Amino acid sequence: GHRLPTSAAWPYPDRKTRNEAISAWKEDFNEFKPGEKTPRIFPVVCKNGTEKIVNIVSTQLQTGEYLVTFEDVTVQKKLEEKLHKMTIVDDLTGLYNRRGFFTLAKRQMKIAERAKKDMLLFFADLDKMKHINDTLGHQEGDNALLDVASVLRETFRESDIIGRMGGDEFAVLAIDANEEIKEILMRRLQD
């Protein structure tokens, strides 16, 4: 057994999470040479209930002793998630943007091909968008786009990929959509 300092367990009041983390450190100690650092990212619930994301680096020193360091990377990781989300999500509607839609659609198409599942692709655009902007103003144009996004969310399933492709154009990739599902979705969209 490796002796771990008692303080190493403090960020883990939950016994199951603590045991998982300590097992990971022990595994790292056995697999890596002295001096090699092994970063691991763990979600942590602190004693006061605060959730943190912690980078835990374990290493064996040349003396044979073990060192585990903890770095709170919550802010950094949340910023990374936000930046990633910004690259695939449309600011106005919260739907996937063109890049996000194609990224997820390609992945789902490969899965559907392997599983021999049918899919449906819908394209839609908002009629008279220019007229709305010119006569009622861009705020009302944005509201119209938000309404369309809301209709698409209500019509399609959570598993379907809904995107704003740009301007007044939208696309939806309906996953695992057999003939029966197709009829239901078409009826809901018309309604």
Side-chain angles (χ1 to χ4, degrees):
H2 303 292
R3 277 184 52 222
L4 292 169
T6 324
S7 60
W10 280 115
Y12 296 97
D14 167 34
R15 186 183 297 266
K16 182 175 177 285
T17 308
R18 181 167 61 242
N19 290 341
E20 282 174 11
I22 291 172
S23 294
W25 305 335
K26 287 180 180 179
E27 188 181 303
D28 292 344
F29 293 147
N30 290 328
E31 286 186 20
F32 295 93
K33 296 175 189 164
E36 284 186 323
K37 290 182 179 178
T38 316
R40 286 185 180 262
I41 302 290
F42 277 96
V44 170
V45 179
C46 299
K47 278 190 166 185
N48 65 3
T50 310
E51 291 187 11
K52 299 281 183 185
I53 302 167
V54 178
N55 181 22
I56 300 169
V57 181
S58 55
T59 188
Q60 184 181 9
L61 305 176
Q62 298 293 343
T63 60
E65 293 175 297
Y66 298 98
L67 176 67
V68 180
T69 59
F70 300 80
E71 180 188 8
D72 182 352
V73 292
T74 309
V75 173
Q76 177 190 337
K77 285 292 169 191
K78 292 205 187 255
L79 183 60
E80 284 173 16
E81 282 174 29
K82 188 176 177 184
L83 287 171
H84 175 67
K85 197 173 179 186
M86 283 169 62
T87 65
I88 64 169
V89 174
D90 175 56
D91 283 343
L92 176 66
T93 61
L95 301 176
Y96 291 110
N97 61 20
R98 184 186 229 19
R99 174 189 280 171
F101 181 85
F102 280 119
T103 301
L104 291 167
K106 282 178 191 171
R107 191 181 307 157
Q108 283 300 328
M109 286 170 75
K110 284 178 186 172
I111 293 167
E113 199 175 314
R114 280 197 300 269
K116 306 270 190 276
K117 301 275 188 184
D118 291 332
M119 304 176 95
L120 280 171
L121 181 62
F122 292 83
F123 282 102
D125 67 89
L126 177 59
D127 290 339
K128 301 181 181 167
M129 184 69 194
K130 185 178 181 334
H131 178 72
I132 294 170
N133 281 332
D134 290 347
T135 58
L136 301 173
H138 287 282
Q139 183 59 54
E140 284 307 312
D142 285 352
N143 288 341
L145 292 169
L146 287 167
D147 286 344
V148 171
S150 178
V151 166
L152 294 175
R153 276 196 197 92
E154 289 171 21
T155 300
F156 292 94
R157 302 159 300 172
E158 206 172 310
S159 59
D160 298 329
I161 301 167
I162 308 171
R164 179 180 174 207
M165 307 309 280
D168 62 356
E169 296 175 342
F170 297 84
V172 180
L173 185 65
I175 312 294
D176 192 10
N178 58 28
E179 204 57 39
E180 185 184 345
I181 297 288
K182 175 185 170 184
E183 293 304 318
I184 293 168
L185 290 175
M186 294 289 283
R187 192 163 52 250
R188 284 169 63 176
L189 187 56
Q190 289 299 326
D191 290 345

